[in-house]
Amino acid sequence: SNKTNRTESWVQKHTSIYKQATRHPFILSIRDGTIDSSSFNKWLGQDYIYVRAFVPFVASLLVKACEESDDSSDMDIILGGMASLNDEIPWFKEEASRWEVSLTTVVPQRANVTYCSLLKRLMSSEIEYTVAITAFWAIETVYQESFAHCLEDGSKIPEELKQTCQRWGNSGFGQYCHSLQNIADRCLEKASIDIIAKAERVFLTVLEHEVEFWNMSKG
Ligand code: HMH
């Protein structure tokens, strides 16, 4: 069909904040090779904290899929997401030791604390599956689009940052994000206007938090 899906229409409607989240100066500095190690290390330490808070959120989404979804393949896709998080934790630890970042002493910054409390709120059983899967799609897609951009033609990424970009920028992760988008769109097609409005708000809120998250690397 040539009908524009709900999520795609939101990306178009909110282009400005979407671009701020996926083409942030932090990402552009990785892409052009001008990134300094202090910014990268700040991001690494903060993202480790974030990923640890992200795991229980994804677990709560898996429970919602199990209870509320009419398609059993949703669970398989979300479980795949959990599996890649399982690989990410040791990756962060190795990367941190390589850059001499101490993950046990890193202090979560305010933007991170705020973002993690959003994740916590979204874990509540009061939050509908449609709203939570929309948030999940947005969270994963910002990283996919950002790091994939670092790998596109014309990039000058330093060799030592290639595997970071590949972690989220690889085409398998891109496929996975499309699967999440398809789930979100399928749910949104059946949703009430009230739920659709809630999902659009959570999409915008995620984008705002992602921008603030990248901003932490500067401060
Ligand atoms: C802040 N957003 C943030 N960290 C991540 N690791 C992801 C998204 C992607 O999973």
Side-chain angles (χ1 to χ4, degrees):
S1 98
N2 56 14
K3 178 174 166 291
T4 305
N5 292 319
R6 189 67 70 170
T7 55
E8 185 52 39
S9 78
W10 289 342
V11 169
Q12 287 169 16
K13 179 175 167 193
H14 305 292
T15 338
S16 170
I17 184 80
Y18 190 78
K19 282 256 169 69
Q20 288 176 62
T22 57
R23 298 292 184 266
H24 190 274
F26 175 78
I27 281 298
L28 299 179
S29 76
I30 292 180
R31 182 180 152 83
D32 68 17
T34 60
I35 178 119
D36 60 281
S37 61
S38 141
S39 301
F40 182 81
N41 291 351
K42 274 184 209 150
W43 166 79
L44 190 73
Q46 295 299 317
D47 212 41
Y48 176 71
I49 296 173
Y50 178 84
V51 165
R52 294 197 73 90
F54 194 41
V55 172
F57 165 73
V58 182
S60 77
L61 187 63
L62 196 63
V63 172
K64 285 186 172 101
C66 186
E67 289 173 351
E68 295 176 51
S69 174
D70 50 21
D71 188 335
S72 62
S73 68
D74 289 11
M75 239 176 77
D76 306 12
I77 291 156
I78 298 162
L79 188 58
M82 288 209 79
S84 68
L85 285 170
N86 188 42
D87 295 336
E88 255 168 54
I89 303 288
W91 177 83
F92 272 100
K93 289 178 181 168
E94 276 162 41
E95 200 64 13
S97 91
R98 180 148 83 110
W99 301 107
E100 296 178 322
V101 171
S102 162
L103 293 178
T104 51
T105 58
V106 54
V107 178
Q109 290 188 34
R110 199 177 59 193
N112 201 358
V113 173
T114 314
Y115 200 174
C116 290
S117 46
L118 171 69
L119 292 178
K120 191 115 195 182
R121 286 200 301 281
L122 293 174
M123 284 171 63
S124 157
S125 57
E126 311 268 287
I127 301 291
E128 298 81 2
Y129 177 55
T130 301
V131 175
I133 193 79
T134 300
F136 189 45
W137 158 71
I139 293 166
E140 297 286 53
T141 299
V142 166
Y143 263 45
Q144 210 287 319
E145 293 237 350
S146 298
F147 286 108
H149 183 61
C150 294
L151 297 169
E152 282 164 11
D153 288 350
S155 120
K156 294 181 199 127
I157 42 167
E159 191 55 42
E160 64 274 19
L161 296 185
K162 257 195 190 130
Q163 52 148 305
T164 300
C165 298
Q166 263 149 6
R167 171 153 293 279
W168 292 279
N170 76 78
S171 61
F173 199 79
Q175 272 305 316
Y176 156 71
C177 288
H178 274 114
S179 304
L180 296 179
Q181 182 167 22
N182 290 336
I183 299 173
D185 281 323
R186 192 197 74 228
C187 292
L188 287 162
E189 261 180 44
K190 289 176 283 190
S192 66
I193 50 166
D194 177 52
I195 303 288
I196 294 170
K198 277 191 199 169
E200 184 174 6
R201 243 176 289 127
V202 92
F203 169 66
L204 282 175
T205 305
V206 163
L207 295 179
E208 285 159 8
H209 281 91
E210 289 290 339
V211 173
E212 291 304 319
F213 200 91
W214 295 130
N215 283 345
M216 282 190 298
S217 63
K218 292 185 300 206

